[in-house]
Amino acid sequence: MLNLFRAECYKLWKAKSFYICCLIGAGIALLLYGTLFLVDNLEKMEAQQGQGGVHVMATVNEGTESPEGAGQPEEAAQIPMSQKIGIMGVIEQMMSGSMAGFIVTVFVSIFVIGEYTNGAIKNVVGKGYSRGTVFISKLLAAELAALLINLVIVGATLLFGAILMGKGGISAIAWKDLTAFVGIQLAFSAALAAIAALIGETTRSLAAGISISLGIVMFSTSITAGLDLLFHNLNWKPSDYWLLDLQTTALADILHGDFLFRAAIISLAWFLAAAIAGTLHFRKADIK
């Protein structure tokens, strides 16, 4: 088992697609910052041209001739969009949306299915290793890759935020909240990576595996929303038990009540279900 896992880690280290996915994640984070600053510039231009922004009206009191609101310049009344959202907001957009999910599922699909297309998985099984051990080793390596990709995205977002927003952006981060948020998002990502690995193992086709995995990331929340309406008379919401619905929960709600515990249990359940299903299928399916 350990030797197989080391071999999978070596494949991960040599996989160009892994580094490309990390660069794509960092590039999207930088693009989000660029979009925020573009919005700031547009709002500033509109305010200067009198087409938008916040305008402070000054009225003169009789007798004193002192304008009310004179000590409140227009610049102080306007908060740039980049400051409203901040570094925490960018991290939330990257992790709780579908951006990180897209990148992770694409890489896991390539990493798992590539073993079938190049015949490597057949050679590994032919050496006498048990099929369960082979699949679990591949799954653990995929989980390691998902973890590293997410950490690269968070690290790049923090780095770009520190460069572009300065000390003010860093000081505005609630590090305790950020740690809890990133931790639960990593749990969601681990379960999603296991599902992508299961899809890759059952389809064994890059086109089918990537398409199905991305379809789940893109459309599954719409399906669960419809199921919520279908079962509303039963006071049961399937979206409460689906990873991608939980993943889109706002930061304030994540830190409230027992959400962290419940989300961790649900993520573990999905991970175990995908791992067990993948192992059982890999043991019985033929390898061509």
Side-chain angles (χ1 to χ4, degrees), residues 20-226:
I20 292 174
C21 287
C22 289
L23 289 175
I24 290 174
I28 294 175
L30 183 59
L31 182 61
L32 282 180
Y33 281 116
T35 303
L36 289 179
F37 285 107
L38 178 61
V39 172
D40 289 346
N41 291 332
L42 291 176
E43 289 181 344
K44 185 177 180 180
M45 291 174 60
E46 289 179 353
Q48 291 175 349
Q49 295 173 0
Q51 298 175 353
V54 179
H55 299 275
V56 179
M57 303 300 295
T59 59
V60 178
N61 293 328
E62 294 183 359
T64 62
E65 297 186 358
S66 174
E68 296 179 0
Q72 300 176 359
E74 182 178 348
E75 291 79 4
Q78 293 181 354
I79 301 177
M81 182 63 67
S82 59
Q83 294 183 16
K84 290 179 183 178
I85 295 179
I87 298 176
M88 284 283 291
V90 177
I91 293 177
E92 186 175 359
Q93 288 294 320
M94 291 295 299
M95 300 291 290
S96 63
S98 57
M99 295 180 185
F102 273 122
I103 298 171
V104 168
T105 52
V106 167
F107 174 76
V108 172
S109 297
I110 295 173
F111 187 65
V112 173
I113 299 172
E115 296 287 280
Y116 295 94
T117 57
N118 60 23
I121 196 71
K122 187 175 182 179
N123 293 332
V124 173
V125 174
K127 292 180 179 179
Y129 293 104
S130 67
R131 291 199 174 193
T133 302
V134 173
F135 178 77
I136 293 300
S137 299
K138 176 66 70 175
L139 176 61
L140 292 178
E143 294 295 339
L144 176 61
L147 172 65
L148 294 176
I149 289 172
N150 281 284
L151 291 180
V152 167
I153 291 174
V154 174
T157 306
L158 288 172
L159 177 62
F160 294 146
I163 295 173
L164 298 174
M165 296 187 177
K167 294 182 179 179
I170 294 295
S171 61
I173 297 176
W175 293 101
K176 183 179 180 180
D177 295 347
L178 177 62
T179 302
F181 174 77
V182 172
I184 199 61
Q185 292 298 330
L186 290 178
F188 290 145
S189 181
L192 183 61
I195 294 174
L198 169 63
I199 294 172
E201 200 285 318
T202 53
T203 59
R204 301 183 181 184
S205 167
L206 280 175
I210 293 176
S211 298
I212 295 174
S213 297
L214 292 183
I216 290 175
V217 175
M218 293 175 62
F219 304 116
S220 62
T221 54
S222 299
I223 295 174
T224 53

